[in-house]
């Protein structure tokens, strides 16, 4: 076991802080013993993430005593046990929470038994955190009988309560994949009609702003319960920084935008159960792989940091928008990439590895929809894969070339449920089916379109089996060696924290038979 904490990328004191953490990982007992606290430092809950066959990351963040309260480094105790009562403690230790990192804690564990559930908690002074439940993945050479995977995205605070998280917890997943837009950077609108709740925070542009935004979102008890229920694998999309940003391009001038992006990235790391290896001198490395034995190899993709700017985007535009292909020659430029060329090569190598290792299900966890969407108007959306057609075709060629046994794509971003047969050639939607795609709706964020418009899209796209924009919820995948079953879950009323939920649709993918079928 080892404990590491690091500051955010693109900050000059990166190495100094990292060295300080290493030297302070075992403060003397007097640094924490006998301290009586007047507040709950664990008000943001606990989380775990990125499970391997012998470990995972444990996370928490200590809250200050009040606005403007200052404190230096703090030592936090942690415990991992076989049981929720902590009678059989497996591991325990201390970790340092630095003010430079918002007093966040990232504990990386290794050497644990594979395919096992554990309980964990943190302690500081006389305060004890909520208990979290986490687990290790099966051993790399094992074929598990089953896995339950949940996927979700897009949880705008104002648009809805988080009842979806309550029902997800009841479904008892082994792993949650969060596919972007954990926070939204906006202020609450002046007109509040139809909103579930409002907040008084300013538009997030500084580190303090982004920390406040995560503090708000993580104060929700239903979201906290979901984090405590099982490990997560997280990636970001745009609203963790700025709507529709692309790589180094945002709405402000480059210098100001990069400062904003650096602050946003640091806050993201501070509030997520990420490993220290994700930190680098130039950025957060979020594309990574999670393996569930031989049953599922999950490739988590970063679709913001390395992309080329959207085709024909107008300077200072608030969003990327859509274009007519004949009016935008840049759209067809073969050199443009959504993932960046280095990540494209990384993914191609990973899919080749899946083929060699005979992974049963190759899972691409991304933040939007891969399948093409032909609009009746002829417009082409530029922020999704439709805006990077050459890059999409390279990915489809890679998937086909490695002859993967089964490929499933999971996505988010568009606040709509889409179920698609992924064609081997996106230019020919009726081409041979290569893979299956499930793009989930949002936890709470509104779709911004109507079902009539979505139905019109379905009529123009024969590979789209289902498209719904009116529901909020999450996806649940039950995976066995023989089949993949996706259940689309929806809440009855996103404006109610106690809303019930129902099953919108269920689809099955049989082993070696690409393309979903309605169950």
């Amino acid at each position: 076991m080892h404990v590491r904490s690091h500051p955010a990328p693109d900050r000059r004191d990166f190495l100094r802080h990292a060295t300080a953490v290493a030297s302070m990982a075992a403060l003397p007992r007097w640094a924490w013993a006998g301290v009586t606290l007047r507040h709950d430092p664990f008000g943001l809950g606990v989380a775990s993430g990125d499970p391997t066959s012998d470990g995972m990351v444990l996370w928490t963040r200590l809250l200050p005593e009040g606005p403007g309260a200052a404190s230096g480094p703090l030592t936090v105790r942690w415990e991992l046990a076989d049981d929720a009562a902590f009678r059989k403690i497996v591991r325990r230790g201390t970790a340092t929470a630095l003010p430079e990192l918002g007093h966040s804690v990232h504990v990386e564990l290794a050497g644990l038994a594979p395919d096992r559930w554990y309980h964990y908690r943190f302690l500081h002074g006389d305060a004890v955190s909520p208990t979290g439940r986490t687990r290790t993945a099966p051993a790399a050479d094992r074929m598990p009988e089953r896995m339950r995977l949940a996927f979700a995205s897009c949880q705008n605070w104002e648009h809805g309560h988080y009842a979806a998280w309550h029902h997800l917890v009841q479904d008892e997943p082994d792993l949650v994949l969060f596919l972007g837009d954990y926070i939204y950077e906006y202020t609450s609108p002046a007109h509040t009609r139809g909103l579930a709740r409002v907040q008084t925070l300013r538009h997030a542009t500084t580190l303090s702003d982004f920390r406040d935004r995560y503090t708000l979102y993580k104060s929700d008890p239903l979201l906290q319960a979901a984090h405590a229920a099982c490990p997560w694998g997280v990636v970001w999309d745009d609203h963790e920084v700025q709507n529709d940003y692309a790589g180094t391009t945002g709405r402000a001038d480059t210098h100001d935008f990069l400062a904003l992006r650096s602050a946003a990235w640091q806050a993201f790391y501070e509030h997520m159960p990420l490993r220290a290896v994700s930190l680098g001198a130039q950025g957060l490395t979020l594309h990574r792989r999670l393996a569930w034995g031989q049953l599922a190899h999950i490739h988590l993709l970063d679709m913001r940091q390395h992309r080329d700017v959207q085709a024909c985007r107008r300077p200072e535009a608030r969003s990327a928008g859509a274009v007519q292909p004949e009016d935008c020659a840049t759209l067809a430029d073969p050199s443009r990439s959504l993932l960046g060329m280095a990540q494209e090569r990384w993914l191609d190598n990973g899919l080749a590895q899946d083929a060699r290792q005979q992974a049963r299900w190759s899972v691409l966890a991304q933040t939007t929809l891969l399948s093409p969407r032909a609009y009746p108007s002829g417009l082409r959306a530029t922020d999704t894969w439709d805006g990077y057609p050459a890059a999409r075709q390279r990915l489809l060629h890679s998937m086909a070339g490695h002859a993967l046994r089964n490929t499933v794509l999971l996505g988010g971003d568009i606040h709509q449920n889409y179920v698609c047969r992924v064609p081997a050639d996106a230019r020919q939607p009726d081409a041979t089916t290569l893979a299956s795609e499930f793009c989930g709706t949002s936890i709470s964020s509104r779709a911004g379109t109507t079902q009539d418009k979505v139905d019109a899209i379905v009529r123009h796209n024969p590979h789209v089996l289902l498209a719904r924009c009116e529901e909020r919820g999450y996806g649940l995948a039950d995976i066995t060696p023989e089949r993949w079953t996706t259940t689309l879950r929806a809440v009855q009323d996103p404006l109610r924290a106690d809303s019930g939920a129902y099953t919108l649709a269920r689809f099955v993918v049989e082993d070696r038979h690409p393309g979903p079928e309605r169950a």
Side-chain angles (χ1 to χ4, degrees):
M1 187 282 301
H2 59 285
V3 178
R4 288 184 290 181
S5 297
H6 296 268
D10 296 331
R11 301 183 74 83
R12 288 179 295 177
D13 51 5
F14 174 84
L15 293 177
R16 178 172 63 83
H17 287 166
T19 303
V21 170
S23 66
M24 291 165 18
L27 290 181
R29 186 174 180 85
W30 56 258
W32 48 262
V35 177
T36 300
L37 301 177
R38 293 171 292 181
H39 75 296
D40 178 12
F42 298 112
L44 301 187
V46 299
S48 68
D50 283 14
T52 64
S53 60
D54 74 338
M56 74 291 291
V57 182
L58 307 181
W59 172 93
T60 193
R61 179 190 164 207
L62 299 183
L63 287 176
E65 194 163 339
S71 60
L74 301 172
T75 293
V76 180
R77 293 166 287 161
W78 58 266
E79 295 176 339
L80 185 81
D82 279 332
D83 62 309
F86 289 85
R87 296 188 182 93
K88 299 179 181 179
I89 294 179
V90 177
R91 297 282 182 85
R92 55 161 46 104
T94 60
T96 303
L98 289 178
E100 294 88 349
L101 287 174
H103 291 106
S104 60
V105 176
H106 299 75
V107 176
E108 297 183 21
L109 296 180
L112 302 174
D115 205 8
R116 285 275 305 277
W117 284 97
Y118 295 94
H119 295 81
Y120 64 97
R121 65 185 180 186
F122 297 90
L123 305 96
H124 178 66
D126 60 352
V128 181
S129 77
T131 296
R133 188 168 178 255
T134 189
R135 63 164 300 159
T136 51
D141 60 350
R142 300 298 300 272
M143 177 61 75
E145 293 182 0
R146 62 182 55 84
M147 175 195 189
R148 174 164 280 191
L149 173 68
F151 57 99
S153 63
C154 305
Q155 51 183 10
N156 187 294
W157 179 266
E158 291 90 342
H159 286 186
H161 287 287
Y162 292 165
W165 287 124
H166 169 74
H167 294 285
L168 182 147
V169 169
Q170 306 310 306
D171 288 329
E172 298 185 331
D174 295 299
L175 176 68
V176 171
L177 297 181
F178 192 85
L179 303 178
D181 291 345
Y182 191 96
I183 62 166
Y184 282 70
E185 75 277 27
Y186 305 132
T187 58
S188 285
H191 301 288
T192 61
R193 182 183 176 87
L195 298 180
R197 48 192 173 179
V198 296
Q199 44 87 10
T200 59
L201 299 177
R202 51 173 273 167
H203 191 111
T205 59
T206 68
L207 178 57
S208 177
D209 293 339
F210 283 107
R211 283 174 174 169
D212 288 345
R213 194 61 53 111
Y214 283 102
T215 298
L216 171 69
Y217 277 57
K218 283 181 168 289
S219 70
D220 188 284
L222 301 180
L223 177 56
Q224 287 190 18
H227 272 297
C230 69
W232 286 33
V234 299
V235 290
W236 55 30
D237 194 27
D238 53 339
H239 288 289
E240 288 86 354
V241 179
Q242 186 183 88
N243 181 52
D244 283 0
Y245 87 95
T248 59
T249 302
R251 291 201 300 273
D253 68 72
T254 300
H255 179 270
D256 289 344
F257 174 71
L258 291 181
L260 181 155
R261 190 187 71 166
S262 178
W265 285 2
Q266 173 167 343
F268 184 83
Y269 173 76
E270 290 175 352
H271 292 87
M272 295 296 149
L274 292 169
R275 295 181 180 275
V277 71
S278 66
L279 289 160
Q282 299 303 316
L284 282 171
T285 302
L286 289 189
H287 60 279
R288 60 203 190 279
R289 300 185 178 97
L290 302 176
W292 210 259
Q294 292 183 322
L295 180 63
H297 288 186
I298 302 168
H299 306 266
L300 287 156
L301 304 182
D302 178 352
M303 303 175 72
R304 282 294 159 188
Q305 181 176 179
H306 308 294
R307 69 160 68 192
D308 289 301
V309 68
Q310 295 92 347
C312 300
R313 180 172 180 175
R314 292 177 287 107
E316 302 300 322
R318 294 181 62 84
S319 61
V323 299
Q324 291 288 351
E326 61 271 21
D327 297 333
C328 181
T330 305
L331 194 68
D333 184 346
S335 69
R336 297 176 65 250
S337 177
L338 182 59
L339 300 176
M341 291 303 180
Q343 189 177 184
E344 283 192 22
R345 291 190 294 271
W346 171 88
L347 180 55
D348 181 70
N349 290 336
L351 298 180
Q353 181 177 305
D354 283 2
R356 290 193 301 270
Q357 296 179 353
Q358 299 182 329
R360 188 61 53 95
W361 301 92
S362 295
V363 184
L364 276 61
Q366 38 153 25
T367 58
T368 191
L369 184 70
L370 177 79
S371 297
R373 281 189 296 176
Y375 290 88
S377 65
L379 286 170
R380 187 82 57 84
T382 61
D383 193 55
T384 68
W385 280 101
D386 280 339
Y388 300 81
R392 175 170 56 195
Q393 202 57 41
R394 287 194 296 271
L395 175 55
L396 294 173
H397 180 76
S398 172
M399 291 161 55
H402 293 304
L404 301 168
R405 180 159 177 159
N406 299 290
T407 307
V408 176
L409 296 105
L410 303 176
D413 175 53
I414 59 176
H415 310 167
Q416 302 169 52
N417 278 308
Y418 266 76
V419 178
C420 303
R421 298 188 182 107
V422 180
D425 188 336
R427 297 161 296 188
Q428 302 176 24
D430 58 350
T432 301
T433 299
L434 179 63
S436 305
E437 181 165 29
F438 302 98
C439 187
T441 188
S442 62
I443 288 289
S444 60
S445 307
R446 294 171 179 165
T449 188
T450 66
Q451 191 59 44
D452 285 345
K453 292 180 180 179
V454 172
D455 290 341
I457 292 172
V458 173
R459 290 194 292 271
H460 283 75
N461 294 271
H463 58 287
V464 177
L465 305 183
L466 177 143
R468 294 286 308 176
C469 72
E470 296 177 341
E471 293 80 20
R472 312 277 73 84
Y474 59 95
L476 197 66
D478 287 296
I479 310 168
T480 71
E482 294 78 27
R483 68 184 53 84
W484 174 298
T485 304
T486 290
T487 303
L488 301 176
R489 298 279 288 157
V491 296
Q492 292 168 340
D493 184 354
L495 298 183
R496 292 180 61 94
D498 61 351
S499 172
Y502 63 97
T503 294
L504 173 67
R506 183 174 287 115
F507 287 83
V508 170
V509 184
E510 300 290 348
D511 179 32
R512 295 188 186 276
H513 290 83
E517 299 290 342
R518 191 180 285 268

